Amino acid sequence: MKLTKRLAVLCGELEKCGTFADVGCDHGYCTLYMLENNLCERAQFSDISAKSLKKAEELLFPYIKAGRAEPVVCAGLEKITPDAELVLIAGMGGEEIVRILLDGFRPPKLLLQPMKNTEKVRACLLKNGYEILRDYTFFADGKFYDLIKAQRGGAPQRYTEDMLLFGRDNLLSPRSDFIKKLERDISDNRAWLVSAKSGREEVLARLAKLEEIYDGTCRRL
């Protein structure tokens, strides 16, 4: 199975568990990775649409037949077994991920890849008893993505406002992908500032913050 770079990064952060759940599983490649590599005894993979779930069911049919994989049509964690030890939620907006987490049970371990509003996901995790283990930005398949790995309980954490906005690991142990994202965002905001007919104060404030983070991050390299 050949994974896209984004999925390869996600699968690289997955770990061995008893029951694995992939919420909003798309094609089911991450579930297949877990099963093929014997990283879980059992897996559930879900989608809100039965039609959308079909492609994953076809991919995972041998494991479904063997009783190791179960397709589930549901919204969020609604029908995911509460004994799922590791839950993956990737490719959704941050606000949707927050809604899923607040409406469902609290899985022991989470791997999350929000498409936007990542700061809201960080704040939700910290407020609801999770320790954030990994929190960084990576570049894959022409886009920048945020990745968060968390576990329930653990040591209390203090996140600054900048850490909530940009990611703790990005600020404390910056990678080249995060630097490139800052450079792109600074360039975009400078371009918006030139053409902006309104909202210039907001753009200026955002640009100043980005430049502050960029300067501080580059000093850590």
Side-chain angles (χ1 to χ4, degrees):
M1 175 181 62
K2 184 173 176 59
L3 296 169
T4 64
K5 186 177 177 182
R6 179 181 78 93
L7 291 180
V9 172
L10 290 177
C11 287
E13 294 286 356
L14 293 170
E15 58 187 63
K16 195 173 183 67
C17 64
T19 301
F20 169 72
D22 186 353
V23 174
C25 64
D26 195 33
H27 288 81
Y29 293 133
C30 291
T31 301
L32 181 61
Y33 176 87
M34 290 289 288
L35 291 164
E36 279 189 336
N37 290 281
N38 290 314
L39 291 175
C40 66
E41 298 172 8
R42 177 172 175 263
Q44 287 186 315
F45 57 101
S46 74
D47 198 283
I48 198 169
S49 162
K51 182 178 179 181
S52 297
L53 197 61
K54 286 294 182 184
K55 52 185 179 288
E57 289 182 87
E58 292 172 5
L59 179 72
L60 296 162
F61 178 74
Y63 293 99
I64 297 171
K65 188 176 180 180
R68 292 189 63 200
E70 177 189 4
V72 181
V73 178
C74 70
L77 297 167
E78 183 182 37
K79 295 181 182 179
I80 299 299
T81 178
D83 64 357
E85 298 165 30
L86 172 60
V87 172
L88 169 67
I89 309 176
M92 299 184 192
E95 292 182 342
E96 178 67 8
I97 291 175
V98 167
R99 187 195 65 76
I100 288 171
L101 296 177
L102 293 180
D103 286 351
F105 65 98
R106 302 286 190 269
K109 295 183 179 180
L110 291 166
L111 183 63
L112 309 173
Q113 185 259 293
M115 299 299 289
K116 58 182 180 178
N117 296 318
T118 306
E119 70 281 359
K120 295 182 180 181
V121 178
R122 295 181 183 112
C124 173
L125 291 171
L126 295 170
K127 186 177 180 180
N128 287 278
Y130 281 90
E131 177 186 4
I132 297 177
L133 305 175
R134 305 270 277 159
D135 182 4
Y136 64 88
T137 298
F138 67 95
F139 183 78
D141 312 317
K143 295 181 180 180
F144 292 98
Y145 299 97
D146 293 322
L147 182 146
I148 299 174
K149 191 172 185 176
Q151 68 179 13
R152 196 175 63 211
Q157 290 175 296
R158 179 182 174 273
Y159 260 53
T160 65
E161 190 65 29
D162 285 346
M163 288 177 181
L164 284 174
L165 288 172
F166 295 98
R168 182 198 59 203
D169 295 354
N170 288 329
L171 299 184
L172 299 182
S173 304
R175 301 178 177 203
S176 59
D177 285 356
F178 178 61
I179 300 295
K180 291 174 183 176
K181 183 178 187 300
L182 286 174
E183 290 172 343
R184 186 206 65 180
D185 291 349
I186 287 171
S187 176
D188 287 348
N189 276 271
R190 285 175 177 168
W192 294 335
L193 193 59
V194 170
S195 59
K197 295 181 180 178
S198 62
R200 288 178 60 85
E201 294 80 7
E202 182 180 344
V203 177
L204 278 168
R206 185 163 59 243
L207 181 58
K209 173 55 70 174
L210 287 167
E211 290 174 338
E212 174 193 332
I213 296 298
Y214 180 76
D215 290 343
T217 302
C218 286
R219 285 196 293 271
R220 292 186 177 91
L221 294 177

